[in-house]
Amino acid sequence: MDTATIRWPDSLWAAATPPGPALPELIGTAKADVVVIGGGFTGLSAALHLREAGVDVAIVEAMEPGWGASGRNNGQVIPTLSRPDPEDIIARHGAAGERFVALLRDSASVLFDIARRYQIQAEQEQTGWVQPVHSPGRIKIAERRVRQWSKFGAPVELLSRDETRQMLGSEAWFGGFWNRTGGHINPLALSRGLAQVVLDRGGRIYARSPAIAVERWNDRWIATTEKGEISGRVLIVATNAYTGEFSKSLMPEMAHEVIPVLSWQMATQPLSETARTTIIPGRQAMSDTHGELYFARYDARDRLVTGGAVLGPANKPERLKALVTERLQRLWPQIGPVEFDFVWNGYVGMTTDFLPRIHRLGRNAYGWTGCNGRAVALSIALGDELSKAVRGVAEKDLALPFSDPAPLVAHGLLRRLAPLMLMVYRRRDAREIEEGELGQPYPHA
Ligand SMILES: Cc1cc2nc3c(=O)[nH]c(=O)nc-3n(C[C@H](O)[C@H](O)[C@H](O)COP(=O)(O)OP(=O)(O)OC[C@H]3O[C@@H](n4cnc5c(N)ncnc54)[C@H](O)[C@@H]3O)c2cc1C
């Protein structure tokens, strides 16, 4: 990939967001106490929290902060995973899983608090997050989530069909799961804002500097780029679904434990005042229970930011526009004609069990991957938690359920086949699904 001239995706966020700080490339030799590879939410949050603790930290970013998933996503701030609920997480990870559940529970509030504390203008709206259910049978998902998250102290509620209709301005759903700590942001503005805060607090960020490889030498980690190298006592690998994009030799075992799937995002023209006041009038962020996910939120200019999925490469944006126009008009007949100004995409890192993977990557090295399309809030919270690990907080006090990297067999083949799962989700969506064999949201918001 050519980093000399950075081409941002044709996204709403790239068009609407003021430029980020001017950043140098890594040229020659540099040193830091902690080297972070990747300048998305995880890397930026880790660096910010490390600087607040007085730790010398440098980020090495392949392109610019927010160039990966963090600047391309739907911006929904969601304090849950996509499918696993607290009991699934704890069954897998025990006491560390319990601490992780608490981290997840608080993650949306943590994100909004950070934006407030550092006065980051990211068009943030803490209006809540709703997961409406698309069939009477799927109310079981909402009931289970409310039951489990209530047990762990999350401010969640079950919405009746009528309450859901009022909240969303649509007859399409049958009830829902509601968490008022969620909401939405402009994710590229948050990425750039965090980058500025890191710099203001004395952190360093090198841009246009893909790390080609890392090695451990003389008790230090050394990351090599095309024009330089940087060494650190500690290494954080924060490249997530983009781990294999710039170098096949950067942590291949991490790159191969997730399947990067392209998720398509779209933004309509600003809605009319009449449409806006009847479609999600309270401006909540919404992602429903379809396997082929329906999701939407407003941006600050009253565009609906949504998305969809179609198979096959030909003419994809135009086919997506037709598909999603029909969907929006079916969900909200009052919307009138729909025009899209932006269509873009980004990689979501999917795992086979929809749980994230968090690793110690040797002595004094950490990393995570496997966002499964639900980690705007989580990656910010994990950045803080990784900074605590670096500062020597005992493992028994960390909300980091560590596991060893487990690369998938036939990763290349799985990556090619993964988009076909859309057909499976469509079939499942079309029929009533019993608890225990619930569909999984297609990569999404
Ligand atoms: C289209 C889309 C929609 C989504 N919608 C939502 C949503 O609405 N809500 C939600 O909760 N989650 C959503 N997600 C998931 C969320 O965006 C991610 O979980 C989150 O942004 C991950 O942040 P990160 O910092 O870990 O990774 P990233 O933001 O991907 O950052 C990784 C960075 O590493 C850099 N990098 C890669 N390789 C190298 C290298 N060799 N050297 C140096 N740097 C390198 C990349 O350039 C990139 O900037 C979505 C994801 C996508 C793609």
Side-chain angles (χ1 to χ4, degrees), residues 8-24:
W8 285 89
D10 296 325
S11 74
L12 162 65
W13 311 126
T17 308
L23 297 167

Side-chain angles (χ1 to χ4, degrees), residues 229-247:
E229 66 170 44
I230 183 164
S231 75
R233 182 183 61 84
V234 185
L235 175 73
I236 296 178
V237 181
T239 45
N240 219 316
Y242 285 79
T243 303
E245 283 306 292
F246 298 92
S247 163

